[in-house]
Amino acid sequence: MVKSSFATFPAWQDLPPGAPQNGNFYKEKLMDMVKRIALVAHDNRKKDLIEWVKWNFEVLMKHELISTGTTGGLVENALSEKHKAGREGKFPVTKLKSGPLGGDQQLGALIAEGKIDLIIFLWDPMQPQPHDVDVKALLRIAVLYNVPTACNRSTADFMISSPLLNTKYEPILKDYSGYIGRSVPG
């Protein structure tokens, strides 16, 4: 198993007695060898994502895939097409709602619950989206929970080819109990 490069304690509960609980220590979470990979693409980037999925299908098929709306159907069809020779039926992709209809928020909830290990999110930087606030919230929550996120194909290529993809990995999560337990006037 590979650990994140930050110095950490084995778990939040194992902090030394008297250690400050002000959010300066980190928690760990274990990523299994089979990763839960979210695949998301805006309309003008779906073609790019599907091309990338077809190119990387042998690696992707070893992992659990989660996707928003239309993208999920396209990913499922692309993987099933590439895998036809050795398997009957469709390759399963967990499909959430379409992004503008709440799929981005569903994905954010999965991240907050620790059920997403990586995100490939090809968003369109040239086109305003009706759900821009949801997109921003999704990217914020991914950073908050230290989820590796690729927003372009080059980063997605680096992530999919990383030796960490097929090993158990222990990223660290900042503990926000200091923030949660802060005094709020009122």
Side-chain angles (χ1 to χ4, degrees):
M1 173 177 21
V2 178
K3 284 191 166 204
S4 179
S5 58
F6 289 97
T8 62
F9 290 94
W12 179 251
Q13 303 88 292
D14 296 335
L15 287 176
Q21 298 200 8
N22 60 3
N24 290 331
F25 287 91
Y26 290 82
K27 290 184 179 183
E28 297 177 1
K29 117 183 169 175
L30 181 63
M31 281 186 200
D32 207 351
M33 290 174 65
V34 173
K35 303 296 186 289
R36 295 160 301 183
I37 302 173
L39 300 169
V40 184
H42 286 158
D43 287 349
N44 289 340
R45 302 297 311 279
K46 287 186 189 330
K47 182 181 175 197
D48 291 333
L49 180 67
I50 297 308
E51 188 177 280
W52 183 85
V53 163
K54 287 179 178 179
W55 181 260
N56 293 290
F57 82 98
E58 289 177 343
V59 174
L60 290 171
M61 292 179 92
K62 297 174 187 171
H63 300 280
E64 182 183 337
L65 305 179
I66 300 98
S67 193
T68 53
T70 310
T71 304
L74 295 171
V75 168
E76 189 173 69
N77 290 339
L79 289 172
S80 296
E81 179 185 305
K82 291 295 283 185
H83 196 250
K84 254 188 220 177
R87 177 183 182 153
E88 290 188 30
K90 289 192 174 256
F91 183 83
V93 174
T94 301
K95 291 180 277 306
L96 308 174
K97 293 182 183 241
S98 174
L101 299 177
D104 292 335
Q105 292 180 348
Q106 285 180 304
L107 185 54
L110 291 172
I111 292 167
E113 293 170 1
K115 296 180 179 174
I116 299 294
D117 298 316
L118 304 169
I119 303 170
I120 310 296
F121 183 3
L122 301 186
W123 57 277
D124 186 351
M126 301 302 286
Q127 188 76 27
Q129 301 296 321
H131 62 299
D132 272 339
V133 293
D134 298 336
V135 172
K136 183 177 180 182
L138 175 61
L139 293 172
R140 179 189 167 278
I141 209 81
V143 170
L144 186 74
Y145 286 95
N146 198 21
V147 176
T149 304
C151 293
N152 59 56
R153 285 181 69 163
S154 295
T155 307
D157 287 341
F158 273 87
M159 283 174 45
I160 198 95
S161 61
S162 170
L164 298 177
L165 185 67
N166 297 307
T167 63
K168 288 186 178 186
Y169 177 71
E170 225 173 311
I172 52 172
L173 300 176
K174 185 165 178 30
D175 181 70
Y176 291 101
S177 62
Y179 176 79
I180 294 167
R182 74 193 185 288
S183 294
V184 180

